[in-house]
Amino acid sequence: VGNYFVDLGFNGCIYRQYVNVTAAEMPVIDKIDVSGFNATIYVSGGTQPYQYSLDGMNWQSSNVYTGLTRGLHKVYVLSADRCNPVTKEFLVLNLQNFITPNGDGINDVLDYSDLRVKKDVSIEIVDRYGKTVFKNHGNYYIWDGKVGGRALNTGNYWYLLKWTDPDTQEKKQYSGWVLLKNRD
């Protein structure tokens, strides 16, 4: 990228040709709208038509993906000039509704670590009386069914998840219940 010139000569005459080299405009992933198990990718800039991929190898012309699995995904967008793709992570939220912290490695914790791609994440879990038993601090999004190191009784607990979408600055909120099954 820059300004250059080439001197062209013939029979003692020199002609200076100026050239301005610019970088190819890369596409920008403006927004990823996730609804249920579907995602729509919105892009601007670069050269259309765009190509979309979830693995960087298999490309499609549609900006819509359906039947996605829960968890983190990465979308790749390639503009028509076929330069390097741009990427962005997005989340199909995995809302869990039970944990069994018995040490078997299966459903031992309530893990919302995938929310790390969001801003201002807040996770609060309360008991049936409204007493807070877990509140995330910083980027720690895992509840092990304990409060203050003490295992809680088997029962229903309620959660409230809040965050800000980093693309749209829209505030999101989910609430629901989780069954905690401890050995009694």
Side-chain angles (χ1 to χ4, degrees), residues 12 16 27-29 44 49 51 56 73 85 90 104 155 157 177 182:
R16 182 165 279 183
V28 174
I29 301 171
S44 63
Q51 292 287 307
H73 296 273
F90 67 96
D104 67 357
Y157 294 82
W177 59 271
N182 266 321

mmCIF file of all heavy atoms in Angstrom, residues 12 16 27-29 44 49 51 56 73 85 90 104 155 157 177 182:
data_model
loop_
_atom_site.group_PDB
_atom_site.id
_atom_site.type_symbol
_atom_site.label_atom_id
_atom_site.label_comp_id
_atom_site.label_asym_id
_atom_site.label_seq_id
_atom_site.Cartn_x
_atom_site.Cartn_y
_atom_site.Cartn_z
ATOM 1 N N GLY A 12 15.266 8.884 -25.306
ATOM 2 C CA GLY A 12 15.671 10.009 -24.472
ATOM 3 C C GLY A 12 14.543 10.717 -23.772
ATOM 4 O O GLY A 12 14.777 11.621 -22.962
ATOM 5 N N ARG A 16 6.914 9.747 -16.513
ATOM 6 C CA ARG A 16 6.740 9.215 -15.154
ATOM 7 C C ARG A 16 5.262 8.860 -14.957
ATOM 8 O O ARG A 16 4.398 9.719 -15.044
ATOM 9 C CB ARG A 16 7.185 10.230 -14.119
ATOM 10 C CG ARG A 16 7.061 9.686 -12.694
ATOM 11 C CD ARG A 16 7.823 10.522 -11.722
ATOM 12 N NE ARG A 16 9.220 10.116 -11.807
ATOM 13 C CZ ARG A 16 10.189 10.589 -11.057
ATOM 14 N NH1 ARG A 16 9.935 11.525 -10.164
ATOM 15 N NH2 ARG A 16 11.419 10.178 -11.194
ATOM 16 N N PRO A 27 -14.494 -7.284 4.004
ATOM 17 C CA PRO A 27 -15.866 -7.225 4.511
ATOM 18 C C PRO A 27 -15.854 -7.084 6.031
ATOM 19 O O PRO A 27 -14.864 -7.413 6.689
ATOM 20 C CB PRO A 27 -16.465 -8.567 4.081
ATOM 21 C CG PRO A 27 -15.318 -9.453 3.789
ATOM 22 C CD PRO A 27 -14.148 -8.586 3.457
ATOM 23 N N VAL A 28 -16.950 -6.598 6.568
ATOM 24 C CA VAL A 28 -17.111 -6.444 8.012
ATOM 25 C C VAL A 28 -18.375 -7.186 8.420
ATOM 26 O O VAL A 28 -19.439 -6.976 7.838
ATOM 27 C CB VAL A 28 -17.236 -4.951 8.403
ATOM 28 C CG1 VAL A 28 -17.540 -4.800 9.875
ATOM 29 C CG2 VAL A 28 -15.979 -4.197 8.026
ATOM 30 N N ILE A 29 -18.238 -8.064 9.418
ATOM 31 C CA ILE A 29 -19.403 -8.758 9.956
ATOM 32 C C ILE A 29 -20.049 -7.797 10.943
ATOM 33 O O ILE A 29 -19.531 -7.552 12.028
ATOM 34 C CB ILE A 29 -19.014 -10.089 10.627
ATOM 35 C CG1 ILE A 29 -18.327 -11.004 9.610
ATOM 36 C CG2 ILE A 29 -20.241 -10.765 11.235
ATOM 37 C CD1 ILE A 29 -17.699 -12.249 10.197
ATOM 38 N N SER A 44 -21.163 -6.056 5.620
ATOM 39 C CA SER A 44 -21.037 -4.887 4.747
ATOM 40 C C SER A 44 -19.577 -4.767 4.318
ATOM 41 O O SER A 44 -18.702 -5.428 4.870
ATOM 42 C CB SER A 44 -21.494 -3.614 5.467
ATOM 43 O OG SER A 44 -20.659 -3.354 6.577
ATOM 44 N N PRO A 49 -20.447 -10.719 -4.490
ATOM 45 C CA PRO A 49 -21.179 -11.467 -3.481
ATOM 46 C C PRO A 49 -20.242 -12.106 -2.463
ATOM 47 O O PRO A 49 -19.093 -12.423 -2.758
ATOM 48 C CB PRO A 49 -21.912 -12.536 -4.289
ATOM 49 C CG PRO A 49 -21.018 -12.788 -5.471
ATOM 50 C CD PRO A 49 -20.374 -11.453 -5.766
ATOM 51 N N GLN A 51 -19.256 -15.096 0.394
ATOM 52 C CA GLN A 51 -19.374 -16.523 0.660
ATOM 53 C C GLN A 51 -19.259 -16.711 2.169
ATOM 54 O O GLN A 51 -18.505 -15.988 2.827
ATOM 55 C CB GLN A 51 -18.264 -17.310 -0.053
ATOM 56 C CG GLN A 51 -18.390 -17.320 -1.561
ATOM 57 C CD GLN A 51 -19.536 -18.214 -2.003
ATOM 58 O OE1 GLN A 51 -19.632 -19.376 -1.625
ATOM 59 N NE2 GLN A 51 -20.435 -17.655 -2.803
ATOM 60 N N GLY A 56 -14.448 -22.769 7.440
ATOM 61 C CA GLY A 56 -13.372 -22.212 6.633
ATOM 62 C C GLY A 56 -13.043 -23.023 5.400
ATOM 63 O O GLY A 56 -12.108 -22.696 4.671
ATOM 64 N N HIS A 73 -19.775 -21.034 17.904
ATOM 65 C CA HIS A 73 -19.521 -21.268 16.487
ATOM 66 C C HIS A 73 -18.669 -20.116 15.967
ATOM 67 O O HIS A 73 -18.652 -19.036 16.553
ATOM 68 C CB HIS A 73 -20.827 -21.311 15.683
ATOM 69 C CG HIS A 73 -21.725 -22.440 16.069
ATOM 70 N ND1 HIS A 73 -21.624 -23.690 15.512
ATOM 71 C CD2 HIS A 73 -22.727 -22.509 16.976
ATOM 72 C CE1 HIS A 73 -22.530 -24.478 16.054
ATOM 73 N NE2 HIS A 73 -23.209 -23.786 16.948
ATOM 74 N N PRO A 85 -10.445 -14.477 4.554
ATOM 75 C CA PRO A 85 -11.767 -14.314 5.149
ATOM 76 C C PRO A 85 -11.687 -13.560 6.481
ATOM 77 O O PRO A 85 -10.646 -13.567 7.142
ATOM 78 C CB PRO A 85 -12.238 -15.757 5.378
ATOM 79 C CG PRO A 85 -10.989 -16.556 5.483
ATOM 80 C CD PRO A 85 -9.966 -15.866 4.618
ATOM 81 N N PHE A 90 -19.842 -16.645 17.427
ATOM 82 C CA PHE A 90 -21.189 -16.385 17.907
ATOM 83 C C PHE A 90 -21.658 -17.577 18.720
ATOM 84 O O PHE A 90 -21.059 -18.642 18.684
ATOM 85 C CB PHE A 90 -22.154 -16.038 16.765
ATOM 86 C CG PHE A 90 -22.444 -17.171 15.818
ATOM 87 C CD1 PHE A 90 -23.570 -17.967 15.973
ATOM 88 C CD2 PHE A 90 -21.596 -17.428 14.753
ATOM 89 C CE1 PHE A 90 -23.847 -18.994 15.091
ATOM 90 C CE2 PHE A 90 -21.864 -18.445 13.853
ATOM 91 C CZ PHE A 90 -22.994 -19.232 14.026
ATOM 92 N N ASP A 104 -18.841 -37.509 38.825
ATOM 93 C CA ASP A 104 -18.692 -38.481 37.731
ATOM 94 C C ASP A 104 -18.279 -37.834 36.412
ATOM 95 O O ASP A 104 -18.097 -38.513 35.407
ATOM 96 C CB ASP A 104 -19.971 -39.294 37.549
ATOM 97 C CG ASP A 104 -21.155 -38.480 37.041
ATOM 98 O OD1 ASP A 104 -21.017 -37.242 36.874
ATOM 99 O OD2 ASP A 104 -22.230 -39.085 36.819
ATOM 100 N N GLY A 155 -32.857 -29.708 44.931
ATOM 101 C CA GLY A 155 -34.047 -28.878 44.778
ATOM 102 C C GLY A 155 -33.982 -28.055 43.518
ATOM 103 O O GLY A 155 -33.023 -28.130 42.743
ATOM 104 N N TYR A 157 -33.707 -24.456 41.682
ATOM 105 C CA TYR A 157 -33.126 -23.131 41.858
ATOM 106 C C TYR A 157 -33.458 -22.347 40.593
ATOM 107 O O TYR A 157 -33.788 -22.927 39.561
ATOM 108 C CB TYR A 157 -31.614 -23.232 42.080
ATOM 109 C CG TYR A 157 -31.291 -23.929 43.394
ATOM 110 C CD1 TYR A 157 -31.297 -25.312 43.490
ATOM 111 C CD2 TYR A 157 -31.018 -23.184 44.526
ATOM 112 C CE1 TYR A 157 -31.041 -25.946 44.692
ATOM 113 C CE2 TYR A 157 -30.751 -23.810 45.736
ATOM 114 C CZ TYR A 157 -30.765 -25.195 45.816
ATOM 115 O OH TYR A 157 -30.518 -25.804 47.011
ATOM 116 N N TRP A 177 -35.274 -22.159 35.417
ATOM 117 C CA TRP A 177 -34.979 -22.938 36.606
ATOM 118 C C TRP A 177 -33.921 -23.982 36.283
ATOM 119 O O TRP A 177 -33.718 -24.366 35.140
ATOM 120 C CB TRP A 177 -36.241 -23.606 37.152
ATOM 121 C CG TRP A 177 -36.888 -24.513 36.141
ATOM 122 C CD1 TRP A 177 -37.822 -24.187 35.213
ATOM 123 C CD2 TRP A 177 -36.618 -25.906 35.950
ATOM 124 N NE1 TRP A 177 -38.147 -25.269 34.453
ATOM 125 C CE2 TRP A 177 -37.426 -26.334 34.880
ATOM 126 C CE3 TRP A 177 -35.776 -26.815 36.556
ATOM 127 C CZ2 TRP A 177 -37.419 -27.646 34.421
ATOM 128 C CZ3 TRP A 177 -35.755 -28.124 36.107
ATOM 129 C CH2 TRP A 177 -36.586 -28.522 35.046
ATOM 130 N N ASN A 182 -28.223 -33.437 44.352
ATOM 131 C CA ASN A 182 -27.075 -33.840 45.153
ATOM 132 C C ASN A 182 -27.373 -35.159 45.832
ATOM 133 O O ASN A 182 -28.526 -35.549 45.997
ATOM 134 C CB ASN A 182 -26.757 -32.780 46.232
ATOM 135 C CG ASN A 182 -25.711 -31.801 45.774
ATOM 136 O OD1 ASN A 182 -24.752 -32.156 45.117
ATOM 137 N ND2 ASN A 182 -25.914 -30.534 46.118
#
